[in-house]
Amino acid sequence: MIMLSRSINNIKKCKVKDRCFILANGPSLNNHDLSLLANEDVISINASPLALTAYKIESKFYCVSDPRFLLDEKKREIFLTQLNSANTNILVRDTVKAYLKNELKITKNLDKVFAIPSLGRDGFSKNLLRGFFFGCSTTHLALQLAYFLNYSKVYLLGLDLNYGFVDYRRFYTEQVVQEYDLLVSVQLSNYQLANNIFYSENKELYICNKKSWAAPYIPYVEYINLF
């Protein structure tokens, strides 16, 4: 735990701006001009770095909390690209780092991967030194990271949750479709909790997709009006 704390404290020392953008993986991510994020702090999750490639934008932080993301070869390559980036800080659930080391036998740059233990499913951790709540969503880890880094304004892009529609799941085409847990109610409950905590402490959290199933729980703002 001591080494873990020191590692996460290094993340805490990162110089950050007043606001950040979290890129989830829903198809509405394609509706935004992401070139506008060139000078912004970006927290990407899972495959969302793909959406930044065309603009040569690197994520400041990258999060993965589900080891299943690494089972697919193409998705695993996205992770490894981030691992080799000189400018991206990577945060994962401790089981993800164990999978990288023990199952995939990856050792290169593994020291830059910060492993966070899970405290359980439902909740919101204000201090990643103690761990995080996984909330059945990697976006929830990103939210706890944004809080931990003391961003005062956080904007969610690509958070859709419309998993019931076969063609409305990801912003990219999955060659092998990942199994879905159908736990949207759990995700929504944790997003609502995150929103309440942000606003109770004078931090602002917004969603940029008015059609998202999370829109009733998180205030909406028009993305293009932020620039």
Side-chain angles (χ1 to χ4, degrees):
M1 179 61 74
I2 293 178
M3 291 304 296
L4 172 64
S5 297
R6 288 175 179 172
S7 296
I8 301 304
N9 271 330
N10 287 337
I11 288 287
K12 186 75 170 179
K13 294 175 184 177
C14 289
K15 185 177 180 180
V16 299
K17 297 180 179 179
D18 180 61
R19 68 181 188 175
C20 74
F21 293 78
I22 296 175
L23 306 190
N25 283 218
S28 70
L29 190 63
N30 291 325
N31 298 337
H32 303 300
D33 179 3
L34 300 184
S35 68
L36 297 173
L37 300 179
N39 297 312
E40 302 286 347
D41 283 5
V42 175
I43 302 176
S44 60
I45 68 171
N46 295 339
S48 58
L50 279 179
L52 299 173
T53 302
Y55 309 107
K56 298 182 179 180
I57 298 173
E58 290 188 298
S59 308
K60 191 174 186 68
F61 301 97
Y62 176 60
C63 299
V64 174
S65 64
D66 190 342
R68 292 178 300 177
F69 181 76
L70 301 172
L71 296 179
D72 180 86
E73 182 178 356
K74 292 186 179 298
K75 294 179 181 179
R76 185 163 62 245
E77 185 58 35
I78 298 170
F79 183 97
L80 295 177
T81 299
Q82 301 309 299
L83 186 61
N84 292 325
S85 169
N87 301 312
T88 302
N89 301 282
I90 299 175
L91 287 89
V92 301
R93 187 173 175 172
D94 51 7
T95 52
V96 172
K97 186 166 185 177
Y99 183 82
L100 288 168
K101 181 178 180 181
N102 300 327
E103 301 297 328
L104 300 181
K105 308 300 181 184
I106 293 173
T107 57
K108 182 182 178 182
N109 293 336
L110 206 58
D111 58 329
K112 67 176 289 188
V113 178
F114 302 110
I116 319 294
S118 169
L119 298 173
R121 190 187 73 176
D122 301 321
F124 188 93
S125 174
K126 297 181 179 180
N127 186 356
L128 291 186
L129 295 175
R130 299 172 182 170
F132 80 107
F133 292 91
F134 64 89
C136 299
S137 167
T138 302
T139 301
H140 197 49
L141 168 57
L143 284 170
Q144 290 164 90
L145 172 63
Y147 178 95
F148 182 66
L149 294 172
N150 203 33
Y151 284 106
S152 61
K153 298 180 181 180
V154 179
Y155 302 96
L156 287 163
L157 280 63
L159 183 63
D160 302 345
L161 304 179
N162 300 37
Y163 300 125
F165 300 92
V166 175
D167 297 325
Y168 198 78
R169 289 179 174 173
R170 307 293 188 201
F171 73 91
Y172 61 99
T173 300
E174 292 181 285
Q175 299 300 321
V176 179
V177 178
Q178 182 174 313
E179 178 183 353
Y180 293 92
D181 297 321
L182 300 178
L183 294 170
V184 176
S185 61
V186 173
Q187 295 173 329
L188 290 174
S189 176
N190 281 290
Y191 292 148
Q192 183 177 32
L193 173 62
N195 180 67
N196 291 341
I197 289 175
F198 267 78
Y199 278 82
S200 69
E201 301 188 18
N202 296 317
K203 299 177 186 291
E204 299 177 28
L205 177 61
Y206 297 98
I207 193 168
C208 295
N209 175 16
K210 65 173 62 176
K211 295 182 179 179
S212 170
W213 287 10
Y217 309 98
I218 302 174
Y220 167 77
V221 67
E222 184 74 28
Y223 171 75
I224 196 66
N225 292 338
L226 300 174
F227 302 93

